[in-house]
């Protein structure tokens, strides 16, 4: 049997088929065909279970066996390749994807023959959401006319996937969603750290031919009295994220959480796993070069099936979904509609292939923007861009500071102040017991011991209120701040893309002056940079409007929750006072 050496610590989920492993531990692999990047193995103590293959490397058997034949060179080479592939897998997956079962080929592989994805992709059937056959049977009748119209309205459905393995522990203390930092903070907006002004960016900006844009893919910008804006949504809608449910696959070897999404325009619920959200986020980031995408919740390895964690993630996913639903462009794009409405396994995979071939991504997305004919002057655009460049880092620093404060206050409420008030209660309780001893010796008309004991119970109850309060104010507030933290992290790249376009225009003007570029091509370059200017100003207007309304509501709700909390504390103290 193959032996492997552990490269990183991994803590298996309690009451599951996973096994905990430690660095430098030697394991014996018993099964490499589990799927999803997981292997089955046994440690030196005889414990057997699943562990991530990317966390180990294959080691050669150094014990010589006299009767064994000489290993052929081809086999030795294959062993080296196995080890190298394992090391590459570790290096290529620096964040947790296995936390939600990403990488299983059942949902994403084009040549897959395991048709077990339908229970997750399809609509949620009543009483049997986890049964693939029941869901498959309900698809034809459950979709209804509304769903079919949506499919006709958005023919270019998108879907794509990537690999999955849990990540080695990261030393970075920032708790921002790793799904977001992988594409925004660490390596810029473009997935993989690729520069947007590469070959496709030059194709658009240099005035070369662009793909045809269908009517449904066109994005319109309007010039209004109050500024440049995206064309408003014709039919606003909402999407609810509800009913997270633990499902199993591989005969119970692997588990995952499926969330139920219900769009108001169809009222047909569909089940989506976190990995589907992760894929959606990746596609949105890569497609919309001028639109910052809100971040996803943090990923997590341990405790990912805890009821409290699952519910908190549901709330955070709702925040992500709400922001997208309010955006006039994101809310009607094909990839989003596919994510919300697709209930057929074949169409799901077809959408994946379509997404991989989508030509309107990055800077080429600007080919789909149709602004007013009036040309914008640099004097109209540049001051707003410079103002945004100054505002974004200041707001980003303020949001991060508030986010950290929310975390500190939550800990103080849940631990420190809860404990302090419980100590007060215990102190009063001790006094009540002492008074009770004397009152049993000589009966008095009023039992002071009883009153003190009642007051002790009130202070202990106040401690419980402190421990529960962050769920009503600081945690929801930090969830909203998490959205702004991710958006503000993308704005510098968005503004940088516009600056790069302006620089490209200056280069073309210089080439035209040197008679190395025709005037007609320069005019086309100017027009396309003007398109980017309109798109950028429209997104800045949308972000400002969202900030003013959404953030205002957030702060009002936070203060309201604080008011209600301290009112309840006053009522408890008045209750304690009434015992005397």
């Amino acid at each position: 049997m193959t032996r492997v050496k552990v490269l990183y610590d991994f803590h298996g989920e309690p009451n599951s088929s996973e096994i905990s492993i430690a660095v430098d531990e030697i394991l014996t692999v018993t099964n490499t065909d589990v799927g999803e990047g997981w292997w089955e193995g046994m440690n030196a103590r005889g414990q057997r279970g699943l562990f991530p293959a990317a966390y180990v490397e294959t080691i050669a058997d150094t014990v010589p066996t006299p009767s064994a034949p000489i290993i052929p060179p081809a086999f030795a080479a294959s062993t080296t390749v196995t080890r190298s592939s394992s090391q590459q897998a570790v290096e290529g997956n620096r964040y947790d994807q296995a936390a939600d079962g990403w990488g299983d080929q059942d949902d994403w592989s084009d040549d897959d023959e395991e048709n077990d994805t339908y229970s997750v992709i399809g609509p949620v059937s009543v009483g049997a959401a986890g049964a693939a056959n029941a869901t498959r049977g309900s698809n034809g009748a459950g979709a209804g006319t509304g769903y079919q119209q949506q499919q006709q309205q958005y023919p270019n459905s998108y879907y794509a996937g990537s690999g999955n393995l849990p990540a080695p522990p990261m030393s970075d203390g920032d708790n921002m969603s790793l799904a977001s930092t992988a594409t925004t903070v660490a390596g810029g907006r473009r997935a993989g750290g690729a520069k947007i002004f590469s070959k496709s960016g030059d194709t658009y900006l240099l005035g070369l031919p662009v793909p045809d844009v269908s009517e449904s893919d066109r994005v319109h910008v309007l010039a209004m009295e109050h500024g440049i804006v995206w064309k408003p949504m014709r039919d606003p809608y909402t999407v609810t994220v509800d009913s997270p449910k633990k499902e199993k696959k591989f005969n119970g070897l692997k588990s995952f959480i499926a969330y139920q999404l219900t769009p108001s325009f169809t009222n047909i619920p569909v089940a989506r796993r976190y990995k589907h959200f992760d894929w959606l986020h990746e596609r949105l980031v890569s497609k919309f070069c001028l639109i910052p995408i809100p971040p996803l919740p943090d990923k997590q390895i341990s405790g990912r099936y805890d009821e409290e964690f699952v519910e908190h993630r549901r709330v955070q996913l709702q925040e992500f979904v709400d922001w997208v639903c309010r955006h006039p462009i994101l809310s009607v794009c094909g990839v989003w509609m596919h994510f919300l409405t697709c209930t057929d396994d074949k169409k799901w995979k077809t959408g994946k292939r379509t997404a991989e071939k989508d030509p309107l991504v990055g800077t080429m997305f600007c080919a789909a923007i149709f602004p007013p004919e009036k040309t914008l002057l640099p004097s109209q655009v540049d001051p707003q861009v410079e103002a945004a460049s100054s505002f974004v880092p200041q707001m980003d620093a303020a949001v991060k500071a508030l986010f950290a404060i929310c975390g500190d206050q939550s800990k103080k409420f849940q631990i420190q102040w809860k404990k302090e008030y419980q100590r007060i209660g215990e102190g009063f309780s001790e006094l009540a017991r002492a008074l009770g001893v004397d009152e049993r010796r000589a009966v008095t008309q009023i039992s002071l011991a009883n009153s003190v004991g009642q007051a002790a119970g009130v202070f202990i109850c106040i401690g419980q209120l402190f421990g529960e309060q962050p769920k009503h104010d600081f945690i929801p507030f930090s969830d909203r701040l998490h959205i702004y933290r991710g958006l503000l992290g993308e704005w510098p790249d968005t503004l940088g893309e516009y600056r790069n376009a302006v620089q490209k225009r200056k280069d073309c003007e210089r080439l035209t002056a040197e008679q190395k570029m025709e005037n007609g091509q320069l005019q086309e370059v100017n027009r396309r940079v003007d398109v980017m200017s309109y798109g950028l100003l429209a997104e800045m207007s949308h972000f400002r409007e969202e900030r003013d309304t959404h953030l205002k509501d957030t702060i009002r709700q936070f203060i309201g929750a604080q008011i209600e909390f301290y009112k309840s504390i006053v009522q408890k103290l008045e209750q304690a006072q009434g015992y005397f």
Side-chain angles (χ1 to χ4, degrees):
M1 294 185 178
T2 305
R3 297 195 308 157
V4 294
K5 180 180 179 181
V6 178
L7 299 175
Y8 301 94
D9 290 335
F10 173 72
H11 300 286
E13 186 69 23
N15 301 321
S16 72
S17 58
E18 299 173 359
I19 185 176
S20 298
I21 56 179
V23 174
D24 294 333
E25 186 177 1
I26 304 299
L27 307 176
T28 301
V29 179
T30 57
N31 186 3
T32 59
D33 297 325
V34 176
E36 295 190 342
W38 293 78
W39 286 356
E40 183 184 56
M42 183 170 59
N43 59 22
R45 299 179 296 280
Q47 297 172 330
R48 177 176 296 190
L50 301 181
F51 58 88
Y55 274 45
V56 301
E57 66 175 355
T58 305
I59 58 176
D61 192 352
T62 58
V63 179
T65 304
S67 59
I70 298 176
I71 300 177
F75 181 84
S78 66
T79 303
T80 303
V81 171
T82 302
R83 176 170 180 163
S84 176
S85 300
S86 176
Q87 294 172 340
Q88 292 174 2
V90 173
E91 296 172 358
N93 294 273
R94 302 305 298 175
Y95 61 92
D96 164 36
Q97 295 172 329
D100 298 276
W102 184 273
D104 48 285
Q105 297 300 314
D106 58 336
D107 286 358
W108 307 93
S109 176
D110 292 341
D111 55 1
D112 161 58
E113 296 181 0
E114 296 181 27
N115 295 319
D116 66 338
T117 66
Y118 201 81
S119 62
V120 177
I121 300 302
V124 179
S125 59
V126 178
N133 292 335
T135 312
R136 183 180 292 108
S138 66
N139 178 52
T145 305
Y147 168 70
Q148 294 175 359
Q149 292 174 350
Q150 287 295 330
Q151 291 295 306
Q152 294 172 1
Q153 183 179 358
Y154 303 99
N156 296 326
S157 299
Y158 306 143
Y159 238 87
S162 63
N164 165 51
L165 286 175
M170 299 184 67
S171 58
D172 189 357
D174 191 354
N175 291 324
M176 177 181 284
S177 170
L178 295 172
S180 305
T181 55
T183 53
T184 59
V185 178
R189 298 190 79 242
R190 305 282 72 79
K195 297 290 186 180
I196 183 165
F197 287 94
S198 56
K199 190 172 182 179
S200 61
D202 289 345
T203 299
Y204 176 77
L205 288 171
L206 294 181
L208 301 177
V210 297
D212 294 333
V213 181
S214 64
E215 184 64 31
S216 61
D217 288 332
R218 294 187 177 187
V219 174
H220 296 277
V221 178
L222 306 179
M224 310 296 287
E225 292 183 0
H226 57 278
I228 307 299
V229 298
W230 298 115
K231 183 178 179 180
M233 297 172 58
R234 186 178 62 180
D235 300 310
Y237 64 90
T238 59
V239 176
T240 58
V241 182
D242 288 315
S243 307
K245 184 177 180 181
K246 186 175 182 180
E247 304 282 357
K248 294 183 180 295
K249 62 191 304 182
F250 297 129
N251 295 324
L253 288 177
K254 290 301 298 177
S255 302
F256 59 88
I257 300 296
Y259 298 86
Q260 178 178 305
L261 279 74
T262 307
S264 61
F265 56 81
T266 63
N267 288 323
I268 300 175
V270 294
R272 295 291 183 259
R273 295 167 61 177
Y274 183 90
K275 70 172 186 178
H276 300 141
F277 281 94
D278 201 27
W279 168 82
L280 171 69
H281 187 273
E282 178 186 350
R283 297 310 309 164
L284 292 175
V285 167
S286 64
K287 180 173 178 62
F288 296 103
C289 65
L290 297 178
I291 302 177
I293 307 301
L296 290 176
D298 299 335
K299 293 187 177 182
Q300 182 168 325
I301 294 180
S302 61
R304 59 185 180 272
Y305 301 124
D306 292 346
E307 182 177 348
E308 184 175 350
F309 169 77
V310 172
E311 173 59 21
H312 186 210
R313 170 172 282 185
R314 183 200 66 78
V315 173
Q316 291 179 307
L317 290 175
Q318 184 71 67
E319 293 288 344
F320 169 82
V321 168
D322 288 345
W323 188 280
V324 176
C325 288
R326 293 193 301 267
H327 197 285
I329 307 305
L330 301 180
S331 61
V332 296
C333 69
V335 61
W336 174 246
M337 283 298 167
H338 179 78
F339 177 79
L340 291 180
T341 61
C342 184
T343 60
D344 181 82
D345 188 47
K346 291 184 179 179
K347 290 181 180 179
W348 184 268
K349 293 183 179 180
T350 301
K352 169 184 175 293
R353 299 187 187 98
T354 303
E356 293 170 348
K357 299 177 182 178
D358 181 16
L360 299 175
V361 297
T363 311
M364 195 60 72
F365 160 71
C366 297
I369 298 177
F370 287 78
E373 295 183 359
K374 182 180 178 180
T375 301
L376 290 174
L377 298 176
S379 59
Q380 296 175 278
V381 183
D382 292 346
Q384 297 192 53
V385 173
E386 292 304 317
S389 300
S390 175
F391 158 75
V392 166
Q394 293 184 37
M395 184 175 179
D396 184 44
V399 166
K400 288 181 177 178
L402 264 179
F403 187 85
I405 290 171
C406 286
D408 293 340
Q409 291 297 314
S410 295
K411 291 179 181 179
K412 289 180 179 179
F413 270 72
Q414 293 172 330
I415 300 174
Q416 181 180 341
W417 291 342
K418 175 183 177 180
K419 184 177 179 180
E420 291 298 323
Y421 274 92
Q422 288 178 339
R423 284 182 59 198
I424 295 174
E426 291 169 359
F428 276 109
S429 181
E430 187 72 18
L431 176 61
R433 285 193 292 269
L435 292 172
V437 172
D438 186 63
E439 289 179 359
R440 285 194 295 272
R441 180 184 60 81
V443 179
T444 59
Q445 185 177 1
I446 300 176
S447 176
L448 182 59
N450 182 65
S451 298
V452 174
Q454 295 285 356
V458 170
F459 278 100
I460 292 176
C461 182
I462 291 176
Q464 294 292 339
L465 291 177
F466 269 92
E468 295 292 327
Q469 182 56 26
K471 296 180 181 179
H472 306 292
D473 47 30
F474 284 108
I475 292 178
F477 190 29
S478 66
D479 288 340
R480 294 285 180 90
L481 293 176
H482 174 72
I483 294 291
Y484 284 97
R485 189 172 57 158
L487 291 167
L488 292 167
E490 288 198 14
W491 265 111
D493 286 334
T494 301
L495 297 172
E497 289 172 7
Y498 170 75
R499 292 194 183 93
N500 289 336
V502 172
Q503 183 59 46
K504 185 69 68 174
R505 178 173 60 187
K506 292 179 180 179
D507 293 342
C508 292
E509 291 173 347
R510 177 178 53 80
L511 292 174
T512 303
E514 297 174 354
Q515 297 184 351
K516 296 180 180 179
M517 177 179 286
E518 297 180 357
N519 288 327
Q521 188 174 357
L522 176 61
Q523 292 177 1
E524 182 63 18
V525 170
N526 289 330
R527 187 191 71 81
R528 295 187 180 185
V529 173
D530 196 55
V531 169
M532 292 190 68
S533 300
Y534 269 106
L536 178 63
L537 294 182
E539 182 57 25
M540 289 169 61
S541 297
H542 173 76
F543 180 78
R544 186 182 303 110
E545 181 180 359
E546 274 291 300
R547 181 201 67 201
D548 291 346
T549 56
H550 182 256
L551 195 56
K552 178 181 177 181
D553 291 341
T554 299
I555 297 175
R556 186 178 66 250
Q557 292 171 11
F558 169 76
I559 296 176
Q562 287 269 292
I563 292 173
E564 292 300 319
F565 169 67
Y566 286 108
K567 281 183 178 180
S568 66
I569 298 298
V570 171
Q571 291 174 357
K572 289 293 182 182
L573 292 174
E574 289 175 344
Q575 178 186 352
Q577 188 182 38
Y579 293 125
F580 298 92

